Amino acid sequence: MEALLYRHLVRELQPMVLGRRLERIYAPRLGLWTFRLQPGEHPRHLLFSHHPESVSMTLSSRFPENPATPTSQVMGLRKRIQGKRILEIRSDWVHRRLAMGMGLQEPTSWLILDAKKGVGLENQAPEWGNDASSWPSLEQIHGDSQIWHAHPQVSPLMRQTLQNLPEDLGNTLLNGFASGLPPDSFFVYQSPSSQSFACPWILPEPIRRTSTETRCSTAFMAATLLADEIFFQDKTSVDKLATVRVHKRKKRLLKNLDADEQRLLGFVQLAERAQLIRRNLYQLPAQVTGRSRLERITLPEDDDTMVDLVLDAKLTILENMERWFRLADKGRRGLVHVQRRREAIKTEASPAHATVQRTTPEPKNASHRKRKLPDRKSISLPLHRFLSSDGFVMLRGKNQKANHALLTKTASSFDFWFHAADGPGAHLILKRDFPEQDVPEQTMIEAAGLAGLASHFSSSDSATIICAQVKYVRAVKGTPGLARVDRVHQTLHVTLDPNLERILRVVEDGKPY
């Protein structure tokens, strides 16, 4: 959703929701939210989506089908703000963020709807700088493809539009944007091969191409058309949306791999500098030895040309040489992984194939256990070893010593650490393959459940579990098993299932692994 469309949409929605009580909260699918308000003269359901490629928000008389079991985040929000009224609204339209002050007589909690980060809850009113009076000139927009870093409201679509207009029309359109006044019409563009989008200006023909244009008199009407496609999809729309997302994801990942490849190639080239120092090590200029610390040195190449090398003055000449050799080895190893990753991305299954795989029934005892086993380095530790339904390894300590070793020696800095809130319990580590790897919500719930079953919540029906990245958890020296958390990633409220340990425990050769 365009930032300018979002700006006018919030203005139109504000009088429709202010003063209404929040009756119920649902999360139909990942990234989709339904907030049911008390009945009134306006539609009852506030729909919000924060998928990167499909941000939407509107009020609707319809609502999508809700799951039988709400997520821990939904349960937490229900507990804190359900039944309260929307007393105040603040927006940062430039970044597409909305804050609703919830309370009975005055705001005591702030529900945040963020197009990038999703749904959150704050105790204090956000201090957003939503004044976008600083607009770049047309010349600046034409000359800087990254103008959106300094001016987020200048989206790629807006930039393309201005580039396809004569200078006088471009300036007129830009001045209209900067004025903040609502336009006469809003336009929705729909195509069978791509995702629909809307903007408060008419697109030039080269950009519009074969898309069908629908003119709307209000931002609310345009936003409703977008939301209908996202929240009330038929199978064709789902497949189209999934294809678009996978294509964009592949393009983004391949672009990042190209950048990594160039960086690693630079490392490999450092071997030539190191070899040059090695060949001339015993022919260094007078008063210079391998232990000298210099900012630069000039050495002869094989063809008698002189090469000027820039050194790290904090290191000796020998230490610089050794560092370059190490970086070159790192670069060669990294290039192998980059090539493997590129091939994996290019051969990734299409959305349609993935859907077939997900809907194919599997035996109850299959559960991916042969695909991935715990790290063999941790076998000597007294641990319980589990495998989530999504194939993630989970390790839980059996005693204080194991908890300490699990946190300080076995876990990687980007792994997730789970522990019961406000009381004793075992440490549980959820292993990840790389720092930015996404963990499915079902696996997070299973990990929290396993941590809860080995804690002071074990005799209860539910548990509150905190999750943090291992790099933000510090073991307390001299007290095995005790840890200090600097930053909590997520707090989960889960129902405890006594059978979960038996279902997820890794078994090898008929015995618990």
Side-chain angles (χ1 to χ4, degrees):
M1 179 182 289
E2 284 288 317
L4 279 175
L5 175 64
Y6 189 88
R7 181 185 197 179
H8 299 297
L9 174 63
V10 171
R11 290 177 178 175
E12 295 177 12
L13 289 181
Q14 185 167 345
M16 299 183 187
V17 301
L18 274 177
R20 298 174 72 176
R21 189 175 65 253
L22 178 58
E23 291 187 341
R24 202 68 169 167
I25 303 172
Y26 302 99
R29 296 192 299 277
L30 183 64
L32 305 186
W33 291 82
T34 302
F35 301 93
R36 191 181 76 196
L37 308 178
Q38 83 178 99
E41 57 180 300
H42 300 292
R44 189 174 184 180
H45 302 93
L46 176 62
L47 307 181
F48 173 65
S49 165
H50 57 86
H51 280 297
E53 298 88 13
S54 56
V55 176
S56 69
M57 184 169 63
T58 191
L59 281 176
S60 175
S61 57
R62 298 190 295 160
F63 60 92
E65 183 178 353
N66 296 306
T69 304
T71 65
S72 57
Q73 186 182 10
V74 170
M75 293 299 293
L77 291 174
R78 287 180 180 178
K79 183 177 180 180
R80 295 186 60 184
I81 61 174
Q82 194 164 275
K84 296 183 178 180
R85 295 185 181 275
I86 303 173
L87 302 178
E88 187 177 342
I89 288 182
R90 298 186 183 185
S91 71
D92 175 15
W93 65 269
V94 174
H95 298 94
R96 297 176 300 173
R97 297 186 293 184
L98 180 71
M100 295 188 289
M102 311 295 297
L104 299 179
Q105 295 182 343
E106 60 182 19
T108 56
S109 301
W110 290 82
L111 179 64
I112 311 297
L113 307 184
D114 191 316
K116 291 185 177 179
K117 298 180 180 180
V119 176
L121 200 61
E122 301 288 343
N123 293 326
Q124 302 293 330
E127 297 179 358
W128 290 336
N130 58 359
D131 181 12
S133 58
S134 174
W135 281 77
S137 65
L138 189 61
E139 292 74 17
Q140 290 175 311
I141 295 176
H142 288 335
D144 185 2
S145 61
Q146 304 296 317
I147 192 68
W148 57 273
H149 285 296
H151 303 278
Q153 71 270 29
V154 182
S155 65
L157 184 62
M158 181 188 296
R159 189 168 178 268
Q160 293 175 26
T161 300
L162 294 174
Q163 289 175 340
N164 281 274
L165 294 176
E167 184 175 353
D168 56 339
L169 293 180
N171 277 314
T172 300
L173 188 62
L174 188 59
N175 291 334
F177 294 156
S179 70
L181 298 175
D184 295 332
S185 300
F186 297 84
F187 303 89
V188 178
Y189 294 92
Q190 297 171 306
S191 171
S193 60
S194 61
Q195 188 178 344
S196 302
F197 58 93
C199 53
W201 67 85
I202 190 168
L203 290 182
E205 190 64 35
I207 302 176
R208 186 191 328 175
R209 298 180 181 175
T210 59
S211 298
T212 302
E213 179 185 279
T214 303
R215 186 186 296 261
C216 303
S217 58
T218 64
F220 175 64
M221 292 176 59
T224 299
L225 290 177
L226 295 182
D228 284 348
E229 182 174 306
I230 295 169
F231 281 85
F232 309 104
Q233 303 166 336
D234 55 19
K235 186 180 183 304
T236 303
S237 299
V238 171
D239 290 344
K240 182 183 76 171
L241 193 59
T243 301
V244 171
R245 287 175 181 162
V246 169
H247 176 73
K248 289 187 176 181
R249 176 178 174 273
K250 284 186 176 182
K251 185 177 179 180
R252 182 178 67 253
L253 291 177
L254 290 174
K255 182 179 179 181
N256 292 338
L257 281 179
D258 290 341
D260 288 341
E261 186 177 45
Q262 292 303 315
R263 178 176 60 85
L264 294 171
L265 285 173
F267 285 171
V268 172
Q269 293 172 0
L270 292 174
E272 298 179 4
R273 301 185 189 181
Q275 291 286 1
L276 186 60
I277 292 180
R278 175 181 285 178
R279 288 196 300 268
N280 293 276
L281 196 58
Y282 301 103
Q283 304 178 40
L284 294 174
Q287 309 300 323
V288 176
T289 67
R291 297 184 178 181
S292 301
R293 300 177 189 272
L294 304 175
E295 292 184 355
R296 59 193 329 115
I297 187 172
T298 303
L299 298 174
E301 187 59 277
D302 293 337
D303 55 359
D304 295 331
T305 59
M306 303 302 291
V307 178
D308 189 29
L309 300 180
V310 178
L311 306 175
D312 184 349
K314 296 180 182 179
L315 306 177
T316 66
I317 294 177
L318 285 174
E319 288 171 341
N320 273 280
M321 179 187 72
E322 293 171 354
R323 176 174 176 269
W324 287 341
F325 274 130
R326 288 196 303 271
L327 288 175
D329 289 339
K330 179 180 179 180
R332 284 188 285 268
R333 294 194 304 270
L335 288 173
V336 174
H337 291 292
V338 166
Q339 184 59 30
R340 290 176 182 170
R341 181 63 178 148
R342 180 179 283 112
E343 292 174 357
I345 293 173
K346 289 181 178 179
T347 57
E348 186 176 285
S350 65
H353 177 70
T355 302
V356 171
Q357 294 297 321
R358 283 197 299 269
T359 56
T360 302
E362 294 185 356
K364 292 184 178 180
N365 295 329
S367 68
H368 310 291
R369 294 187 181 181
K370 295 182 180 180
R371 189 184 65 182
K372 196 174 183 181
L373 288 174
D375 188 355
R376 288 285 176 179
K377 294 181 180 179
S378 64
I379 286 181
S380 60
L381 290 175
L383 302 175
H384 292 293
R385 297 165 178 86
F386 305 93
L387 205 63
S388 78
S389 56
D390 297 299
F392 284 77
V393 173
M394 297 177 290
L395 306 174
R396 191 181 70 191
K398 292 184 179 180
N399 53 43
Q400 291 183 344
K401 184 178 179 180
N403 288 334
H404 181 79
L406 186 60
L407 177 61
T408 59
K409 297 180 180 180
T410 304
S412 300
S413 62
F414 50 82
D415 291 339
F416 281 142
W417 172 87
F418 292 78
H419 195 277
D422 304 320
H427 294 216
L428 184 139
I429 298 296
L430 191 154
K431 301 292 292 181
R432 294 201 292 173
D433 297 327
F434 49 92
E436 300 301 324
Q437 184 178 19
D438 291 328
V439 180
E441 183 177 4
Q442 182 60 30
T443 290
M444 297 290 284
I445 294 174
E446 290 173 353
L450 292 172
L453 290 171
S455 72
H456 65 99
F457 292 110
S458 59
S459 59
S460 304
D461 294 331
S462 61
T464 300
I465 307 297
I466 58 175
C467 169
Q469 284 194 55
V470 169
K471 64 181 178 179
Y472 297 123
V473 182
R474 294 181 294 165
V476 177
K477 189 175 181 180
T479 311
L482 192 62
R484 181 179 291 109
V485 183
D486 295 328
R487 184 186 300 180
V488 174
H489 172 73
Q490 186 179 355
T491 300
L492 300 101
H493 306 277
V494 295
T495 302
L496 297 184
D497 180 5
N499 296 319
L500 187 63
E501 293 177 328
R502 177 181 55 80
I503 295 171
L504 299 181
R505 180 167 290 155
V506 174
V507 176
E508 186 171 314
D509 297 331
K511 298 180 180 180
Y513 182 82

